[in-house]
Amino acid sequence: MTTATTDPEAPASVGQVASGNALAGTRTLIRFALRRDRIRLPVWVLALLLGTLMTANSFSTLYSDPQDRANAARSMGSPAGLAMSGPRHYLDDYGFGSMLSHQMLGFMAVLVGLMSVLIITRHTRAEEETGRAELVRSTVVGRHAHLAAALSVAVLANLALALLLAFGLAGLGMEGIDTAGSLLYGFGHAAVGLVFAAVAAVTVQLTAHTRGASGMALAVVGVAYVLRAAGDSGENGALSWLSPIGWVQRSYPYVDNRWWPLLLCLALAVACAAAGFALSTRRDVGAGLRPEKLGRPTASDALTTPLGFALRLHRGMLIGFGAGLFLIGAMYGSILGDAEDMLKDIDQIQEALDRIGGAGVAESFASMVMVVLTVVAAVYVVMAALRPRSEETAGRAEPLLATGLSRARWVGGHLAVAMGGGTVVLLLAGLGFGIAGAASTGDAGLLPDLVGAALAYAPALWVTVGVAVVLFGWFPRASQAAWIVPVYAFVVGYLGQILQFPTWMNNLSPFGHVPRLPAADMDWTPLLLLSLVAAGLVWLGLAGFRRRDLETK
């Protein structure tokens, strides 16, 4: 732990830090964090803003007729529909505003929670894990300054999002989307974002690893969403009151405009943040409250190989994504039997399903859902494929490569886990979707069909890995651009089907060339071509990595 000097000739400011100014240097750290995130945060905020505005604007086209909105309300009134959206009270007057809050608040809360968690872990635990926090703490910086700065940045990001959403939605001039409701809608996002930022302030105290802290905080986000879904689909909705996402949804923007549920979020955020500050005084810098497990006296034979070592590093994330995709698939599968009744009165959705084709609504709807599951799997493969970049910048790659380990074998271990792990999580998503879908429809043949439909996207995931490797090998500072692939795939592959984007936009995504099973017939040619493209990209990326110098920070 960094301690203050007792030298009587030391500067007075250092003595001041030791005597109690635990927040010294916070303002400087806030400016530094904003400088580091000058691109990352605007991208997050603008993406969430534009996604909301595009969705709200699409409602005026998709549901322009009041009868269309009434049909949509009836479709969303089933337990499965409520679990996927929000409380039943929104359906009483299903205008554009209530429709936006009903269908988007819960989904957006998860994304805002993800943004907030990553802000906190990036500027606290990641700084400690790399040793930068201890170096900074050796200067005139208080012990609470890093956490206070991270929370301040999270507050600024969420407030900026809230204001942009409020004024952006109010400026659309749509019927039922007024200024008062837009302000509540925007600040509802900020409230739930602050809750999960404060939760992350606690989890970063528990473990010494950034990924572990992020994983625990995101698990809380997932539990909050599940509690909300279970409560909204139940009779009395009691479980929803155990979730901050449920609190925000029950503020009912554009319907009742109740502000008091946001006070519950703020109270929980303050309590969790206070707990984070208190827990930070009970551990050393760089350590976590949870004691590290004692390792084996000798490493297993698997850890002496690049593949085994990479698998050990990726194990937690692989298990988390596998379990999460299985549950998401099961959740979608549980409503597969009600898909025809839910969607029969929504003309735009029916048109999208008709363009996909298939023997029935269930098969066509399943092919649309498969895009969502695959995009989540693509998030995993991008994170796994960029792990070598994290190892490189943290300085952990250089000692390994100073031995007889070649660059190709080192990166190859991570790529094998990314590509193989991506295939495994697709398999688990297909199993969850197939088991629940077969149970909800009574058609046991859906299980192998949906598993096969999920695995058909494996070559597209491999191409995604290839893109990440090329960026890592040739343009390491632009490695984060690999995230464009899954984001673009979701926009054009899922939303584009509903909003009728031109076909050429879908063809720019590797996922757009995969047969839309189980609605379409199997075609092996595009899968073979995608596999060859993936192999070429991986070879190109490895060639670039062998030619360049390592970068360490």
Side-chain angles (χ1 to χ4, degrees):
M1 176 185 291
T2 303
T3 56
T5 179
T6 57
D7 188 347
E9 297 183 0
S13 55
V14 175
Q16 184 183 20
V17 173
S19 65
N21 190 2
L23 296 177
T26 300
R27 185 181 302 176
T28 301
L29 289 178
I30 291 174
R31 293 201 304 268
F32 181 56
L34 292 174
R35 174 70 173 79
R36 291 178 62 197
D37 287 352
R38 64 189 183 279
I39 296 177
R40 188 185 303 261
L41 285 182
V43 168
W44 263 108
V45 172
L46 290 177
L48 295 173
L49 172 66
L50 292 177
T52 301
L53 295 180
M54 288 174 61
T55 301
N57 193 55
S58 69
F59 286 160
S60 62
T61 302
L62 298 175
Y63 307 101
S64 57
D65 189 271
Q67 186 60 43
D68 293 335
R69 297 194 288 274
N71 293 336
R74 285 195 297 271
S75 301
M76 301 300 294
S78 67
L82 295 174
M84 296 293 294
S85 51
R88 187 182 297 274
H89 181 54
Y90 284 104
L91 304 178
D92 294 343
D93 183 14
Y94 216 44
F96 292 130
S98 57
M99 181 180 294
L100 178 67
S101 297
H102 186 230
Q103 297 186 23
M104 290 293 290
L105 260 181
F107 172 69
M108 288 288 291
V110 174
L111 296 180
V112 173
L114 175 61
M115 177 188 72
S116 301
V117 166
L118 294 180
I119 290 173
I120 300 300
T121 57
R122 171 174 166 80
H123 294 294
T124 54
R125 177 51 62 186
E127 293 297 288
E128 295 186 40
E129 192 172 6
T130 57
R132 291 190 293 264
E134 189 167 13
L135 179 63
V136 172
R137 285 275 297 273
S138 66
T139 64
V140 189
V141 172
R143 65 168 174 257
H144 291 325
H146 270 104
L147 182 56
L151 286 170
S152 299
V153 172
V155 169
L156 291 174
N158 281 285
L159 287 179
L161 176 63
L163 292 173
L164 288 172
L165 283 173
F167 290 112
L169 289 171
L172 291 178
M174 294 176 59
E175 179 185 354
I177 298 184
D178 55 12
T179 301
S182 297
L183 284 170
L184 178 56
Y185 183 87
F187 279 93
H189 287 68
V192 76
L194 294 182
V195 169
F196 293 125
V199 167
V202 174
T203 62
V204 296
Q205 315 304 330
L206 303 180
T207 177
H209 303 288
T210 306
R211 293 178 183 270
S214 299
M216 284 189 285
L218 293 178
V220 174
V221 177
V223 170
Y225 186 86
V226 170
L227 287 173
R228 193 282 311 160
D232 290 341
S233 61
E235 292 295 329
N236 53 19
L239 287 176
S240 296
W241 287 102
L242 301 177
S243 166
I245 299 178
W247 301 344
V248 170
Q249 286 189 320
R250 278 158 177 74
S251 63
Y252 296 119
Y254 307 112
V255 180
D256 295 336
N257 288 342
R258 303 192 305 190
W259 284 86
W260 66 263
L262 303 192
L263 298 178
L264 298 176
C265 291
L266 294 180
L268 180 58
V270 170
C272 289
F277 283 113
L279 292 174
S280 69
T281 63
R282 298 177 178 271
R283 64 176 182 85
D284 290 336
V285 176
L289 290 173
R290 189 175 64 179
E292 296 285 341
K293 292 183 179 179
L294 294 177
R296 296 170 54 180
T298 58
S300 65
D301 293 337
L303 287 179
T304 62
T305 65
L307 178 60
F309 186 60
L311 184 59
R312 176 64 181 83
L313 293 177
H314 291 260
R315 183 178 62 182
M317 185 171 63
L318 178 58
I319 293 173
F321 269 90
L325 270 171
F326 181 86
L327 293 176
I328 294 174
M331 181 175 66
Y332 276 115
S334 66
I335 67 172
L336 200 56
D338 299 327
E340 186 169 0
D341 292 334
M342 288 176 57
L343 306 175
K344 65 181 180 181
D345 295 325
I346 306 178
D347 295 337
Q348 288 74 16
I349 300 294
Q350 284 292 330
E351 292 174 4
L353 296 178
D354 291 340
R355 287 194 297 271
I356 294 173
V361 173
E363 289 80 5
S364 300
F365 179 68
S367 68
M368 291 185 67
V369 170
M370 203 61 70
V371 175
V372 179
L373 299 177
T374 306
V375 168
V376 177
V379 171
Y380 163 77
V381 300
V382 171
M383 294 177 68
L386 293 181
R387 182 61 186 266
R389 176 62 179 167
S390 300
E391 297 293 300
E392 178 188 3
T393 56
R396 293 187 289 266
E398 193 169 11
L400 289 174
L401 297 176
T403 65
L405 179 63
S406 69
R407 292 191 176 197
R409 292 183 64 209
W410 175 68
V411 176
H414 289 281
L415 298 185
V417 175
M419 300 173 82
T423 305
V424 170
V425 298
L426 276 180
L427 173 63
L428 291 172
L431 280 173
F433 197 18
I435 292 172
S440 65
T441 60
D443 182 5
L446 273 179
L447 176 57
D449 290 345
L450 293 178
V451 171
L455 292 176
Y457 281 93
L461 286 186
W462 301 341
V463 171
T464 305
V465 173
V467 172
V469 178
V470 169
L471 291 171
F472 166 70
W474 291 94
F475 313 102
R477 295 182 182 274
S479 297
Q480 296 298 322
W483 288 105
I484 294 175
V485 179
V487 172
Y488 185 82
F490 176 75
V491 171
V492 302
Y494 182 70
L495 297 180
Q497 291 290 331
I498 300 174
L499 302 179
Q500 300 182 22
F501 288 177
T503 304
W504 65 266
M505 293 184 65
N506 196 42
N507 291 336
L508 295 178
S509 168
F511 300 92
H513 298 277
V514 178
R516 303 296 294 270
L517 303 175
D521 295 330
M522 183 60 184
D523 185 359
W524 291 98
T525 301
L527 302 187
L528 177 60
L529 292 176
L530 286 172
S531 300
L532 293 175
V533 170
L537 290 173
V538 170
W539 176 85
L540 182 61
L542 291 177
F545 182 55
R546 283 194 292 264
R547 290 172 177 267
R548 69 173 177 84
D549 292 334
L550 291 179
E551 296 183 8
T552 56
K553 296 181 180 179

